[in-house]
Amino acid sequence: MRAMTFGEAALWRPGVVDTAERRMAGPAPALPSLAGSSPARQSLAAPSLAGQSAALLRAVAYGRQAAASEADILIEAESGTGKEVLARMIHQGSSRRGRPFVAVNCSAVPEALLESELFGHAKGAYTGANAAQAGQIESAQGGTLLLDEIGEMPLHLQPKLLRVLQERELRRLGENRNIQVDIRVVATTNRSLAGMVREGLFRADLYYRLNVVALTLPPLRERSEDIPLLAEHFLERYATGRGLRLAGEFLQRLCEHSWPGNVRELENSIRRAVALSPGEEITAELQPGLFEAANLAKEAQLKGDVLSDAGSVGAVLHPGMKMQDMERTLLERTLAATGGNRSRAAVLLGISLRTVRNKIRAYGLPSRGAYGAD
């Protein structure tokens, strides 16, 4: 069985779907027939979704079915697994291919600017708005709008997005007229939106409207048989003309690693190995620092230690403690345990980096330097 590549997936054409707007929650569709040569050293255009594992092929098959419909799609998967690649594949496999594919990262745009970025604004809508401007939703007219990390969208903007999804119309900031839009929305998240709904962090009506077709992608640790293929691909990409090869022991180490950063982490690891290897073979001995990222796997234990370690970081959690005090204490201890590393604290707490920064500011917690070297 050889790997399915992006090039093949991009040739998808709209077809028949049993029920276009149902969730893909039933039995998996028949997997594509991929008989052929070995995947070794095969050129891959989109390695995040390349492989021969059953978990990946099932995800790709679901995506192929979803592409044939006009339904909005929600992709929930860990960071680095290829959510945007899958979204682009769906776009290319739909009747909207050849039209705009517009991607907006909801966590990367400052909260104060996100409304204007998405919905556009009229001239004079705010200080500095010297001319009317269309937003990214309008820019996707006729095509696909990718809302990356939708869970980071502020609550006050979610009703406006819900109206776009329900009525396919929007109103620019500072205007009093509606604009009709013809778009398909694909939203991605690395968090559980259902869990956020239960916690009051995401609107239930928006969640159900987005969750018409629910897709997911397996993390790399659940498709370890694809790691050698991906490693060979990245070797070809970053070691062109050098004749480098991967030692068997090195490949074994790769397959044993948990890859918390998924394909993105694997790519960076191979790139670093290529840059540091003086010979013709990349070995584990020559790369003693290559698997430093494996320390992240220990954070499951660290997560449990944060609550049990009284230390000197604050009061012990106890029944009847105010939620605000408990949240502050947990954040303090997590930052202390990670040496002040806010990104790692966000991973441990299951929240966004933006939320960590906001909480640190709200509680007046110390700067990074107060925790010592990271």
Side-chain angles (χ1 to χ4, degrees):
M1 180 181 291
R2 68 176 175 82
M4 170 177 283
T5 69
F6 177 82
E8 293 170 321
L11 297 177
W12 290 344
R13 294 292 182 266
V16 177
V17 180
D18 293 341
T19 306
E21 296 196 356
R22 68 178 173 86
R23 287 191 60 191
M24 301 298 184
L31 298 179
S33 175
L34 298 175
S37 59
S38 167
R41 305 194 70 83
Q42 192 174 42
S43 179
L44 305 174
S48 295
L49 297 185
Q52 56 186 354
S53 62
L56 178 67
L57 295 180
R58 184 176 296 107
V60 171
Y62 281 146
R64 182 177 182 178
Q65 283 191 314
S69 77
E70 281 290 306
D72 294 328
I73 294 172
L74 176 64
I75 304 174
E76 290 186 325
E78 295 180 11
S79 296
T81 52
K83 296 189 292 294
E84 182 170 344
V85 175
L86 179 58
R88 289 181 181 275
M89 289 171 63
I90 289 170
H91 173 71
Q92 291 298 325
S94 74
S95 60
R96 296 177 179 270
R97 61 186 177 278
R99 298 176 186 176
F101 179 93
V102 177
V104 180
N105 188 325
C106 297
S107 65
V109 181
E111 184 173 328
L113 301 178
L114 186 57
E115 182 175 8
S116 177
E117 178 78 9
L118 285 173
F119 299 95
H121 61 259
K123 180 179 179 180
Y126 54 84
T127 303
N130 299 320
Q133 182 173 315
Q136 298 287 18
I137 296 176
E138 283 183 73
S139 298
Q141 189 73 260
T144 301
L145 175 69
L146 170 63
L147 295 175
D148 195 18
E149 300 307 338
I150 186 68
E152 305 306 318
M153 176 173 284
L155 277 168
H156 74 273
L157 290 184
Q158 292 179 23
K160 294 193 68 171
L161 176 60
L162 180 61
R163 180 171 181 83
V164 172
L165 296 176
Q166 290 179 334
E167 308 297 336
R168 288 310 196 251
E169 65 180 25
L170 61 82
R171 183 173 295 185
R172 291 181 182 176
L173 190 63
E175 287 191 354
N176 57 8
R177 67 183 183 91
N178 294 330
I179 299 172
Q180 297 297 315
V181 289
D182 173 23
I183 59 172
R184 185 207 201 145
V185 174
V186 178
T188 71
T189 178
N190 62 8
R191 304 169 66 184
S192 168
L193 289 191
M196 294 183 67
V197 169
R198 289 191 293 270
E199 296 171 13
L201 302 176
F202 199 85
R203 288 180 62 103
D205 48 4
L206 178 57
Y207 168 67
Y208 293 125
R209 188 61 185 81
L210 285 169
N211 200 32
V212 178
V213 175
L215 303 177
T216 189
L217 284 169
L220 190 55
R221 63 181 174 275
E222 293 181 7
R223 56 182 186 110
S224 58
E225 60 266 49
D226 294 334
I227 291 175
L229 167 66
L230 292 165
E232 290 284 354
H233 164 74
F234 292 129
L235 180 65
E236 288 184 352
R237 173 182 292 181
Y238 297 115
T240 304
R242 288 187 56 183
L244 274 175
R245 61 183 180 273
L246 303 175
E249 181 185 357
F250 182 81
L251 280 172
Q252 182 64 32
R253 291 283 302 277
L254 293 180
C255 292
E256 292 172 352
H257 186 48
S258 61
W259 300 111
N262 292 296
V263 178
R264 187 181 296 121
E265 182 189 359
L266 175 61
E267 178 179 6
N268 291 337
S269 296
I270 297 299
R271 188 174 189 178
R272 178 169 58 167
V274 169
L276 298 179
S277 294
E280 297 181 351
E281 186 175 61
I282 296 178
T283 65
E285 289 77 11
L286 291 175
Q287 307 298 332
L290 180 60
F291 297 98
E292 287 178 357
N295 292 331
L296 291 175
K298 299 177 182 178
E299 291 186 341
Q301 178 180 354
L302 176 59
K303 220 173 202 179
D305 292 343
V306 168
L307 288 176
S308 61
D309 179 18
S312 60
V313 291
V316 178
L317 304 184
H318 57 80
M321 190 176 192
K322 291 183 179 179
M323 288 294 295
Q324 183 176 349
D325 294 337
M326 182 173 67
E327 184 178 67
R328 175 182 177 133
T329 300
L330 180 59
L331 181 57
E332 283 181 318
R333 294 187 175 186
T334 304
L335 288 168
T338 61
N341 187 315
R342 299 179 180 189
S343 297
R344 194 169 295 179
V347 171
L348 287 172
L349 293 170
I351 59 179
S352 68
L353 179 58
R354 175 189 290 175
T355 300
V356 169
R357 289 171 177 162
N358 289 342
K359 295 294 184 183
I360 289 174
R361 191 180 304 112
Y363 292 133
L365 298 182
S367 62
R368 292 183 185 88
Y371 297 96
D374 184 23

